[in-house]
Amino acid sequence: MADRSFLTWPFFEDRHRALAEALDTWCAAHLPVDHSDTDAACRALVRMLGEGGWLVHSGATSGERLDVRSLCLIRETLARHDALADFAFAMQGLGMGAVTLFGSAQQQEWLSRTRAGKAISAFALTEPGSGSDVARSTATARREGDHFLLSGEKTYISNGGIADLYVVFARTGEAPGAKGLSAFLLPAETPGLEVVERIEVIAPHPLAHLRFNDIRLPASALIGEAGSGFRIAMSVLDIFRPTVGAAALGMARRALDEALSRVKSRQLFGAPLHELQMVQGHIADMALEVDAAALLVYRAAWTKDQGAARITREAAMAKLYATEAAQRVIDAALQLHGGDGVRHGMAVEGLYREIRALRIYEGASDVQKVVIARATLDG
């Protein structure tokens, strides 16, 4: 049973504790799902999460606001039970983050569908030649009267190929570099959207390389103001980077649970495995990593919920430490399982594959170090 004592920390209110307990009960009854068909599993998970009422927390319309502590608690809990369920939830939030924060009333009508699990969303920012360096994006949206012509490519797009709508970032040319980007809402059935390739990775998720072949978009597809795309993207990532740390935290907690079960039940050299001091040292390191990650994740979430305009430094710290720590915790758990740790189908083997991508997406670990350093130097 995962440690729940952190719910007594002053970061949380009673509603957060109730949310975590209710979701844990729901997860125990519904997860994991069958992963043999990744696309089908993701569609089923989005539908299940919508029907369960959990996707209500993934977006907000005018008069509402995202509660980042709730987002983090949900992602941590889902990731502890089933990493693909966490992915399905997270993409509904990240995919619609720009619409939640900056969308028009017309654009926010989509939220009634994504929050109900009746439409799948995606966030299309990364390009073949510009991953972490968003300012180098080359996809363009050229204004022609009351329309835009969208051209270019995006890659490693989560939910690519199964999404019902995409938030796409493209260059509109108001200024060089980051100041010349804009964000657009692109329904998947729009003519000219091409799925060039479905991308296979070590932990299967729906990913795709997309091409935009002079897609004709109405001016109403523009999210916020022209030229504000970089600010929109960074504002969305500011909120969702701590939740990546929360997902990593959930995986780390699961790994620690699996390790505890293993060392308490396994005999080695005529004694329980957990009596070996070297094993106790590993367990101590793992417990320390988990709590330190949790403190950083929920510090960032609490700070944003208290009304901070930006939490760039706190979000980067939470994302960096929690994902790196989870990698170490999971690796230690696998080592304590011995040969069984690398056996396909074992929980720690699956976690080992799942955690690796979290150190890359939404800003790779080295990029987070640059963000933290700059914020510290400027402070």
Side-chain angles (χ1 to χ4, degrees), residues 127 138-142 149-153 170-171 211-215:
E127 296 186 4
T138 59
T140 61
R142 186 173 72 256
L149 279 182
L150 177 64
S151 302
E153 298 183 7
R171 185 164 301 284
R211 181 177 294 133
F212 313 117
N213 299 303
D214 285 335
I215 297 176

Side-chain angles (χ1 to χ4, degrees), residues 141-214:
R142 186 173 72 256
R143 187 72 183 249
E144 291 195 352
D146 58 354
H147 286 77
F148 288 89
L149 279 182
L150 177 64
S151 302
E153 298 183 7
K154 300 289 180 178
T155 193
Y156 288 105
I157 304 306
S158 295
N159 282 340
I162 68 168
D164 296 290
L165 71 159
Y166 299 82
V167 168
V168 180
F169 295 84
R171 185 164 301 284
T172 44
E174 288 73 20
K179 296 182 179 180
L181 298 174
S182 298
F184 297 88
L185 191 60
L186 172 65
E189 70 272 10
T190 307
L193 174 59
E194 178 187 355
V195 178
V196 178
E197 176 190 12
R198 295 297 301 275
I199 302 171
E200 298 292 332
V201 290
I202 58 175
H205 294 104
L207 295 170
H209 183 143
L210 307 176
R211 181 177 294 133
F212 313 117
N213 299 303
D214 285 335

Side-chain angles (χ1 to χ4, degrees), residues 346-362:
M346 295 292 287
V348 291
E349 180 268 343
L351 291 167
Y352 193 81
R353 289 183 289 105
E354 289 284 356
I355 190 58
R356 192 58 186 85
L358 276 68
R359 295 166 59 201
I360 298 173
Y361 73 68
E362 290 188 40

Side-chain angles (χ1 to χ4, degrees), residues 3-14 16-17 21 73:
D3 175 34
R4 312 299 285 165
S5 62
F6 74 98
L7 290 171
T8 64
W9 292 353
F11 293 123
F12 304 110
E13 301 168 22
D14 286 343
H16 296 115
R17 299 180 185 96
E21 295 295 342
L73 283 169

